[in-house]
Amino acid sequence: MATDPRKLRPSELCRLLNSTPLGEVTSERQIYHHRQRAGHRIGDGRTVDLLRYCAWMHQTRHAPKTEPEDDRYERMKEAARARNAALALAGRDIGELPAVENPDRKDRASRDFRYFCESYFPLTFHLDWSDDHLKVIDKIERAVVEGGLFALAMARGSGKSSIAEVACIWAVLYGHREFVCLIGSDEGHACDMLDSIKSELDSNDQLLADFPEVCFPIQALDGIANRANGQLYQGKRTQIGWTAKEIVLPTIEGSRASGAIIKVAGLTGRIRGMKFKRPDGRTVRPSLVVLDDPQTDESARSLSQCANRESILAGAVLGLSGPGKKISGIMPCTVIRPGDMADNILDRDKHPEWNGERTRMVYSFPKNESLWQRYAEIRSEGLRNGDGGAAATEFYREHREEMDEGAEVAWPQRYNHDELSAIQHAMNLKLQDEAAFFAEYQNKPLIEESVGEGMLTADEIAGKFNRMERGSVPIGCNHLTAFIDVQQKMLFYLVAAWEDDFTGYIVDYGSYPDQRRPYFTLRDARQTLVAAAQGTGLEGSIYAGLESLTEILLGREWQRDDGAAIKIGQCLIDANWGHSTDVVYQFCRQSSHAALLMPSHGRFVGASTMPFSEYKRRPGDRVGLNWRIPNTHGKRAIRHVLYDTNWWKSFVHARLSVAMGDRGCLSLFGTAAETHRLLAEHLTAEYFVKTEGRGRTVDEWKIRPEQPDNHWLDCLVGAAVAASMQGAVLFGTDGAVSRKPSRVSFKELQRRKKQ
């Protein structure tokens, strides 16, 4: 039967509409809703007219939609949204910039750094300039505008850091430099400098008056750094940056400082590859670097750290500008000790490129020493009595002409309110602490006295090289020993070759894992045992490290000068560190090189302690020169060696003191002292103090507070003990070793009793 499209049941209509190539387009439930809405316009209530249904659907779909007149809530929401958007846009836009207050002053300051300091920073530079200040200002101006490097050492409190900070501001405000890098001894120090610069840009009214294109957008932030990303000027983003480690000045059309960058870094931090990508896609690199006091008290006392920082300065820092470009640099610094980094950089013979300038507080001291001695006595007495030095000041007032005779100070305006002159101020500082005065104010520190008479310096040890190749054993050596010092982060090792008379040669030393840099400390180790043995804990990483290191040292043959191959005959492993003791014993028991390994324990034997020579020997003990191997018992059923660390450190120190060529001398491989800077620091990390007790005098060795790493000293001492165990004997010490008693038969004992 033919289907009438004008009279279709709802089910038939649904099947018909879904039978097209479009697939399922409707359902009976949807058709039911349409019938309810359209009523008799599309059918008679029981059937549906397909043509009228299609016409209704077309009309419904294309009918214009009108908003309901009574939907006031939706209209209110839309109005609020539009109002808030307008307010936000208005808040992001900083509006029109104020006019420049004094164009002539601004223009003159662009060519005159001294005038810039005086005009825009009157509170910072309120005293008259000294001749030294003017000389320094002139050199900084030339370094910024024309380029070049300049290092300056001025007396503490002379404003060298403030001048350097203002030089950064001057360089970027006038477009002399588009990218300035601030470098401190560490990143925290550099951030402090950046905070000072940010404070000036944000709150200096003189800068705001003449540099509104820079300071007005900065002050519009109201100290809220999150506003920087959305800030607008004339509808365009200013691209301003205001973070703890970086300043990006606002991008304003016509501004010479538009988009200039000031960034901070620590000298020993991540410096290489510093760059900034501008919104226009151009990459810029630093063109001016300011290094403020790039060394610390700790690094100044370390020759290796000084050399390391100098190499960073010559390589990473001066290479910041990129290939084919020269960077300008300003370095305000303080000489802490002779030969430190600052002292070397200021030396024009060593570093002529830095044009070092070393100023002093006093260029000539007063001639009348007797009056100043009397002044010192009066001042000390007054300070003890609580007068604050008033009596001494009065004495100086009465004899000022005689006491000032012959004196010449760099800055006559520098003295406190309770003092009469800069000369009196300088002498007060000298009387307070002479060593600090010559270091901090004269930039000529006094030579430090050694702790103990006869102590070797790091320079002396580093320079005692024998020109042999690393790993090469001299022909006269019959003993090759090693020692491994166990630490949580890494292992230190040293290999030494010995002749029978204890003439020694350090043939190799290092760390595991290898740190791959000439200077490092245990504290800043980058390659650690845990990282090298991933998936292990502390004990597991130590075990894995010992296994790898002993295979490297004991599994190889060392070549002697005559072509013979020699292997390490004894390797001691430090077992004193509590967390590693059981691991070391376990490793020495289970290692494939167990015959050559032995745990060791250094013992501090002071003057009041019973010496090794007085220990009562027990059956099974092996006794040597201030060392002994006790009989095994208990859970650690493996033999170990105990030795007197004080005696053996003095022994090793004495070997290092012996002249090259003499019997009993100890020397280092290589041809250059710079190779052994770090080793020399470890070997001089302790000093001895002669102590008396129980009728004997003992050298008691103590760690220097500024040099906490002494691990290669422990290794060298352990290697010497191992050589003694192998049979090396220094002439004159063989009688100190108690002879092992010969065996006596029971028959011989009976015969002796009868006699």
Side-chain angles (χ1 to χ4, degrees):
M1 181 183 291
T3 302
D4 186 1
R6 307 298 299 267
K7 291 184 179 181
L8 295 172
R9 293 195 301 272
S11 59
E12 293 177 337
L13 176 62
C14 181
R15 284 195 300 271
L16 181 63
L17 293 177
N18 289 337
S19 63
T20 68
L22 296 177
E24 184 177 354
V25 296
T26 187
S27 64
E28 291 188 27
R29 184 176 181 82
Q30 190 174 12
I31 293 175
Y32 172 80
H33 288 302
H34 289 171
R35 290 172 63 202
Q36 294 298 318
R37 289 174 57 190
H40 289 286
R41 286 179 289 177
I42 62 172
D44 57 6
R46 297 184 62 184
T47 60
V48 179
D49 188 332
L50 177 60
L51 299 180
R52 292 169 66 185
Y53 178 59
C54 292
W56 177 81
M57 288 283 291
H58 181 271
Q59 182 182 7
T60 302
R61 180 166 182 82
H62 295 286
K65 296 181 180 180
T66 58
E67 295 291 335
E69 297 182 359
D70 58 343
D71 196 355
R72 291 181 299 173
Y73 178 68
E74 291 296 331
R75 292 198 302 272
M76 182 180 67
K77 283 202 305 182
E78 179 62 24
R81 187 199 64 77
R83 183 172 62 254
N84 291 337
L87 288 174
L89 186 63
R92 291 170 57 194
D93 200 303
I94 60 176
E96 292 300 320
L97 298 176
V100 177
E101 185 176 291
N102 193 333
D104 294 336
R105 177 176 64 179
K106 180 179 181 180
D107 182 64
R108 178 184 171 186
S110 68
R111 303 180 300 274
D112 191 338
F113 179 50
R114 174 184 174 183
Y115 181 73
F116 179 79
C117 295
E118 294 172 346
S119 301
Y120 296 103
F121 302 90
L123 298 179
T124 303
F125 308 109
H126 58 279
L127 296 177
D128 293 337
W129 300 108
S130 68
D131 292 339
D132 288 340
H133 282 121
L134 298 179
K135 188 189 303 182
V136 167
I137 286 173
D138 178 64
K139 291 195 173 185
I140 289 178
E141 181 178 313
R142 280 188 286 152
V144 172
V145 178
E146 301 173 10
L149 304 174
F150 176 52
L152 64 145
M154 300 183 72
R156 180 72 67 190
S158 296
K160 62 180 184 296
S161 295
S162 298
I163 294 174
E165 290 172 5
V166 173
C168 291
I169 298 174
W170 183 64
V172 296
L173 288 183
Y174 287 104
H176 297 309
R177 301 287 166 176
E178 61 180 352
F179 192 161
V180 177
C181 179
L182 295 176
I183 298 180
S185 57
D186 53 48
E187 193 174 89
H189 178 202
C191 287
D192 291 341
M193 293 177 62
L194 187 67
D195 288 341
S196 177
I197 293 174
K198 291 167 72 174
S199 177
E200 293 290 354
L201 293 174
D202 191 28
S203 59
N204 189 310
D205 293 336
Q206 284 84 3
L207 289 178
L208 176 63
D210 286 356
F211 298 90
E213 70 277 13
V214 174
C215 298
F216 186 76
I218 291 174
Q219 294 192 10
L221 297 176
D222 288 332
I224 304 174
N226 290 339
R227 292 181 177 177
N229 291 333
Q231 191 182 79
L232 303 175
Y233 172 65
Q234 295 181 349
K236 297 180 180 179
R237 288 182 59 190
T238 61
Q239 305 290 346
I240 187 173
W242 199 258
T243 66
K245 299 180 182 179
E246 183 181 80
I247 296 175
V248 181
L249 298 186
T251 301
I252 303 292
E253 187 176 354
S255 170
R256 285 187 281 183
S258 181
I261 307 113
I262 303 177
K263 199 168 184 177
V264 302
L267 183 61
T268 56
R270 300 185 64 179
I271 297 179
R272 296 182 185 274
M274 186 179 293
K275 59 186 178 181
F276 183 83
K277 192 142 191 174
R278 293 187 180 278
D280 59 3
R282 187 165 61 95
T283 299
V284 293
R285 292 180 177 272
S287 55
L288 173 67
V289 59
V290 177
L291 300 103
D292 185 41
D293 278 335
Q295 64 178 358
T296 63
D297 289 345
E298 178 184 351
S299 68
R301 291 181 173 85
S302 168
L303 294 175
S304 295
Q305 289 197 47
C306 289
N308 184 52
R309 288 175 184 252
E310 284 185 50
S311 65
I312 293 174
L313 178 63
V317 174
L318 297 187
L320 283 174
S321 58
K325 297 181 180 178
K326 290 185 68 175
I327 196 168
S328 298
I330 304 170
M331 185 194 301
C333 55
T334 300
V335 181
I336 298 175
R337 61 176 294 276
D340 65 7
M341 176 189 179
D343 195 28
N344 292 337
I345 294 297
L346 293 167
D347 191 333
R348 295 198 176 192
D349 293 330
K350 295 180 179 179
H351 294 278
E353 72 278 6
W354 275 99
N355 299 298
E357 188 71 38
R358 196 187 304 246
T359 66
R360 302 176 185 176
M361 174 178 277
V362 180
Y363 284 98
S364 178
F365 285 95
K367 295 181 179 179
N368 200 325
E369 296 182 3
S370 59
L371 282 177
W372 280 107
Q373 182 63 34
R374 178 60 182 154
Y375 171 87
E377 295 172 359
I378 297 174
R379 182 173 180 271
S380 298
E381 186 65 27
L383 292 176
R384 283 193 293 268
N385 294 332
D387 74 345
T393 301
E394 190 60 34
F395 177 82
Y396 174 70
R397 191 194 308 274
E398 296 173 2
H399 304 85
R400 179 172 179 176
E401 185 175 350
E402 300 171 76
M403 296 175 72
D404 287 354
E405 183 182 356
E408 180 185 354
V409 292
W411 197 6
Q413 290 76 25
R414 179 176 179 173
Y415 55 91
N416 297 329
H417 67 280
D418 57 347
E419 297 169 333
L420 302 179
S421 71
I423 298 174
Q424 183 190 10
H425 176 67
M427 295 302 290
N428 284 343
L429 292 173
K430 183 174 180 289
L431 292 172
Q432 182 175 332
D433 190 331
E434 186 173 10
F437 173 78
F438 277 95
E440 302 286 345
Y441 298 96
Q442 293 294 95
N443 287 299
K444 190 178 179 181
L446 302 175
I447 298 177
E448 298 178 353
E449 297 181 357
S450 59
V451 176
E453 184 180 355
M455 286 293 300
L456 294 172
T457 65
D459 283 337
E460 291 172 336
I461 293 178
K464 198 177 180 185
F465 48 83
N466 52 33
R467 302 189 182 280
M468 301 213 36
E469 294 184 2
R470 184 172 195 156
S472 179
V473 180
I475 191 171
C477 296
N478 298 319
H479 311 287
L480 191 62
T481 62
F483 187 91
I484 300 175
D485 184 53
V486 180
Q487 301 295 326
Q488 180 177 355
K489 292 185 177 180
M490 57 181 166
L491 309 175
F492 292 86
Y493 69 88
L494 185 143
V495 181
W498 311 88
E499 298 182 15
D500 291 334
D501 60 0
F502 246 119
T503 301
Y505 307 86
I506 296 176
V507 298
D508 196 12
Y509 63 89
S511 65
Y512 182 86
D514 186 7
Q515 298 300 301
R516 300 188 184 93
R517 47 190 175 136
Y519 178 82
F520 60 89
T521 62
L522 179 63
R523 183 177 58 186
D524 67 359
R526 297 174 185 171
Q527 309 294 329
T528 63
L529 291 171
V530 174
Q534 295 184 359
T536 62
L538 175 60
E539 291 80 4
S541 65
I542 293 174
Y543 192 99
L546 288 172
E547 194 168 33
S548 300
L549 181 56
T550 53
E551 186 60 35
I552 294 171
L553 299 179
L554 307 181
R556 61 168 287 190
E557 292 183 341
W558 303 72
Q559 293 299 316
R560 205 163 61 175
D561 281 350
D562 58 357
I566 183 173
K567 284 194 171 186
I568 293 175
Q570 184 73 68
C571 178
L572 303 182
I573 303 179
D574 172 38
N576 264 0
W577 190 47
H579 294 282
S580 68
T581 303
D582 290 338
V583 179
V584 170
Y585 274 80
Q586 179 187 0
F587 175 76
C588 291
R589 225 178 6 248
Q590 299 174 351
S591 172
S592 58
H593 303 285
L596 306 176
L597 298 173
M598 183 175 290
S600 66
H601 297 272
R603 293 289 184 257
F604 182 90
V605 181
S608 59
T609 311
M610 182 174 64
F612 269 48
S613 59
E614 296 181 10
Y615 274 98
K616 185 178 180 181
R617 182 171 181 169
R618 295 181 177 86
D621 289 355
R622 183 184 170 195
V623 179
L625 184 61
N626 287 290
W627 58 264
R628 61 191 178 93
I629 302 176
N631 195 7
T632 58
H633 61 276
K635 65 175 183 178
R636 295 171 183 161
I638 182 172
R639 306 212 64 172
H640 60 275
V641 60
L642 307 172
Y643 59 91
D644 180 351
T645 55
N646 281 326
W647 192 92
W648 278 101
K649 285 175 182 177
S650 297
F651 179 86
V652 167
H653 185 269
R655 303 285 65 73
L656 290 168
S657 302
V658 174
M660 293 290 290
D662 285 349
R663 188 166 54 179
C665 168
L666 180 59
S667 58
L668 288 63
F669 66 85
T671 60
E674 290 75 15
T675 309
H676 303 296
R677 289 289 183 187
L678 186 56
L679 173 67
E681 284 192 20
H682 279 239
L683 298 184
T684 56
E686 295 188 21
Y687 65 95
F688 66 84
V689 177
K690 289 192 176 294
T691 308
E692 294 185 2
R694 298 186 60 187
R696 64 193 189 103
T697 302
V698 173
D699 293 340
E700 294 188 355
W701 289 79
K702 303 179 184 298
I703 190 79
R704 297 179 191 270
E706 70 275 10
Q707 292 178 325
D709 284 356
N710 65 339
H711 310 296
W712 280 321
L713 173 61
D714 294 339
C715 289
L716 182 55
V717 167
V721 173
S724 178
M725 294 168 59
Q726 288 286 292
V729 177
L730 180 68
F731 179 76
T733 63
D734 50 345
V737 182
S738 59
R739 298 295 183 183
K740 183 176 180 179
S742 58
R743 287 190 174 187
V744 181
S745 66
F746 180 74
K747 182 178 179 180
E748 177 65 21
L749 288 176
Q750 293 293 331
R751 188 184 65 79
R752 290 178 183 178
K753 284 183 179 181
K754 292 179 180 179
Q755 292 177 352

